[in-house]
């Protein structure tokens, strides 16, 4: 049994609290919002953000950060990305040297182009920062539906400790040393989810959706590897896995906002209608900043930016993607000719 501090009481924070309670841990949930804590104390349910998930015994609720942090073996930072820096800064007086802090938010800070773990490390140099990410909608995790996800950390023991705290027979956790790759996949898939929604909104079909997902993961991997991420991460749970779920599911607020934009709403109108933080909008600009810093083309993400911030009609953006110059699908240093003859290189993947 572990003592956990859950920093953030939105849908993901509460779904993870529910999961951790199933695993027999004690959780102290913190929120910046007094009203939220009152609701949780009274109803043991986040009625606005995750209705239907009632928390069993084992959880305490507080607006006092010191109470959530002291005595906790591990902290989970579950506030939306625009609040990551301010919340991490407020945590500074309370976090112990080497205390594990698992960030579960997804995003890139717009003005600094830092990943969220880099932001947290700036604010909390004493913390052992890790991440947890993958295809995992709160609505399904909170019902005990099977989910697989990746825990990234710099120390193997930290990743393995997170694995054993979170894992159960419906929640499978893989460990990884590639914190950067995991975070880039997580942040950039939100931008592509907007594109997937826009494609739905203008009436594109399944063919277009599949093409978008496939081409987008290549785009994300191109940038991610250049920045130091591991190629395999982008074809793993926190990469292609999260991209698939977010582009296909109506639980995705980014996709829902995209659908409205495809139907003619402005970005502001769509964000208002969805009534939640649409993180892809923030990460879209940051992704372009990274693309120019690292000299990597991001054709889909560029078009999303044009639609969001320059008023380009969504149908025109889709047409321009279709009409790009002819390309060869695989890297062009591969020679032409028949395959399968002679000795083939082996690919020893971890399964
Ligand atoms: N919801 C999911 O299914 C899911 C799954 C995986 C990852 N995530 C990620 O987790 C993060 C949180 O998402 P969510 O769905 O829980 O969001 P949410 O919109 O449900 O949560 C909003 C919460 O943010 C907190 N908050 C509001 N103002 C604040 C402030 N000024 N300072 C600090 N906290 C404040 C409040 O607790 C509020 O309930 C996001 O980065 C998201 O991408 C969400």
């Amino acid at each position: 049994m572990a003592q956990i501090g859950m920093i953030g009481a939105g849908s993901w924070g509460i779904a993870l609290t529910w999961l951790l309670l199933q695993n027999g841990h004690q959780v102290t949930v913190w929120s910046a919002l007094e009203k939220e804590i009152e609701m949780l104390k009274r109803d043991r349910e986040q009625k606005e953000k995750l209705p239907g998930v009632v928390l069993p015994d084992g959880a305490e609720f507080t607006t006092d950060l010191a109470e959530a942090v002291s005595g906790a073996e591990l902290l989970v930072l579950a506030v939306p990305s625009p609040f990551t820096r301010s919340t991490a800064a407020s945590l500074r007086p309370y976090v112990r040297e080497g205390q594990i802090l698992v960030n579960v938010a997804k995003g890139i800070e717009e003005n600094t182009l830092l990943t969220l773990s880099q932001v947290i490390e700036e604010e909390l140099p004493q913390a052992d920062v890790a991440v947890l990410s993958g295809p995992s909608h709160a609505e399904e995790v909170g019902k005990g539906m099977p989910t697989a996800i990746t825990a990234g950390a710099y120390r193997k023991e930290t990743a393995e400790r997170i694995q054993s705290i979170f894992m159960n027979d419906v929640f499978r956790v893989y460990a990884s040393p590639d914190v950067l790759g995991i975070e880039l996949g997580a942040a950039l898939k939100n931008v592509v989810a907007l594109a997937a929604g826009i494609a739905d909104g203008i009436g594109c079909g399944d063919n277009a959706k599949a093409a978008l997902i496939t081409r987008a993961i290549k785009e994300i991997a191109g940038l991610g590897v250049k920045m130091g991420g591991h190629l395999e991460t982008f074809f793993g749970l926190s990469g292609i896995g999260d991209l698939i779920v977010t582009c296909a599911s109506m639980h995705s607020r980014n996709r829902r906002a995209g659908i409205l934009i495809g139907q003619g709403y402005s970005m502001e109108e769509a964000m208002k209608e969805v009534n939640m933080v649409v993180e892809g909008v923030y990460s879209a600009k940051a992704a372009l900043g990274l693309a120019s810093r690292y000299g990597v083309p991001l054709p889909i993400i560029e078009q999303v930016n044009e639609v969001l911030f320059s008023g380009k009609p969504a149908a025109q953006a889709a047409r321009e993607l279709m009409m790009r110059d002819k390309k060869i699908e695989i890297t062009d240093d591969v020679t032409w000719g028949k395959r399968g003859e002679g000795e083939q290189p082996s690919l020893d993947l971890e399964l």
Side-chain angles (χ1 to χ4, degrees):
M1 200 269 288
Q3 176 67 42
I4 315 282
M6 181 62 64
I7 310 300
S11 43
W12 194 215
I14 295 303
L16 288 174
T17 298
W18 183 87
L19 172 81
L20 291 163
L21 294 172
Q22 303 301 311
N23 290 2
H25 304 303
Q26 294 282 337
V27 187
T28 303
V29 180
W30 172 89
S31 171
L33 313 179
E34 189 88 45
K35 252 177 65 190
E36 219 161 49
I37 290 302
E38 279 168 21
M39 170 179 62
L40 285 163
K41 278 184 176 162
R42 188 182 58 240
D43 305 323
R44 305 190 71 78
E45 184 182 351
Q46 180 26 303
K47 288 206 143 99
E48 283 168 23
K49 303 271 167 62
L50 196 64
V53 178
V54 179
L55 297 173
D57 288 344
E60 305 284 337
F61 307 97
T62 182
T63 51
D64 179 357
L65 271 179
E67 209 178 302
V69 175
S70 69
E73 174 187 342
L74 177 147
L75 302 172
V76 181
L77 190 54
V79 296
S81 51
F83 307 126
T84 300
R85 185 180 287 279
S86 57
T87 308
S90 315
L91 281 164
R92 197 178 307 147
Y94 311 112
V95 172
R96 297 186 305 275
E97 191 65 40
Q99 195 167 14
I100 300 175
L101 185 148
V102 185
N103 173 53
V104 297
K106 301 177 179 181
I108 297 166
E109 196 173 54
E110 203 179 312
N111 53 339
T112 61
L113 304 185
L114 294 176
T115 64
L116 298 183
S117 71
Q118 291 166 342
V119 168
I120 297 164
E121 278 157 18
E122 276 192 0
E123 299 295 338
L124 291 169
Q126 72 271 42
D128 184 5
V129 180
V131 295
L132 187 68
S133 184
S136 52
H137 285 304
E139 293 80 355
E140 295 192 4
V141 170
K143 287 188 196 140
M145 295 169 78
T147 300
I149 195 164
T150 305
Y154 300 112
R155 295 168 62 242
K156 192 164 183 242
E157 309 81 72
T158 303
E160 287 175 349
R161 184 65 187 136
I162 297 167
Q163 226 174 357
S164 53
I165 285 176
F166 282 86
M167 196 151 152
N168 64 29
D169 60 349
V170 289
F171 198 82
R172 185 167 173 75
V173 184
Y174 287 83
S176 165
D178 188 11
V179 174
L180 178 69
I182 292 170
E183 287 199 292
L184 289 172
L188 298 177
K189 66 94 195 179
N190 280 336
V191 187
V192 181
L194 282 162
I198 291 170
D200 288 326
I202 59 175
C204 290
D206 296 343
N207 296 351
K209 180 71 66 66
L212 185 70
I213 292 171
T214 316
R215 295 301 311 176
I217 197 62
K218 236 176 157 166
E219 207 167 297
I220 293 171
L223 174 64
V225 170
K226 193 88 185 265
M227 289 177 66
H230 195 295
L231 181 63
E232 225 178 311
T233 301
F234 301 100
F235 297 95
L237 291 163
S238 60
I240 188 78
D242 209 358
L243 191 59
I244 290 171
V245 82
T246 203
C247 289
S249 170
M250 276 314 274
H251 292 312
S252 165
R253 64 192 75 169
N254 291 283
R255 177 171 171 241
R256 278 188 278 134
I259 292 174
L260 294 170
I261 293 166
Q263 289 169 345
Y265 284 58
S266 69
M267 180 191 75
E268 290 80 13
E269 289 165 346
M271 282 173 78
K272 216 164 163 195
E273 183 76 18
V274 170
N275 196 23
M276 283 171 153
V277 179
V278 181
E279 288 173 314
V281 170
Y282 300 93
S283 298
K285 267 194 189 159
L288 273 198
L290 289 174
S292 99
R293 180 183 288 176
Y294 288 91
V296 174
L298 299 179
I300 296 169
I301 290 174
E302 280 165 23
Q303 291 293 348
V304 172
N305 274 276
E306 293 277 320
V307 172
L308 292 181
F309 305 113
S310 306
K312 183 186 275 188
Q316 185 187 334
R319 206 166 35 247
E320 285 179 20
L321 282 172
M322 293 302 289
M323 296 303 293
R324 291 173 65 232
D325 285 351
K326 289 180 193 156
K327 302 277 176 188
I328 292 171
E329 192 179 35
I330 61 176
T331 319
D332 57 9
D333 63 1
V334 174
T335 49
W336 294 87
K338 274 192 187 168
R339 313 254 140 230
E341 286 163 5
E343 201 177 319
Q344 301 301 315
S346 68
L347 186 60
D348 293 322
L349 296 174
E350 181 70 24
L351 295 174

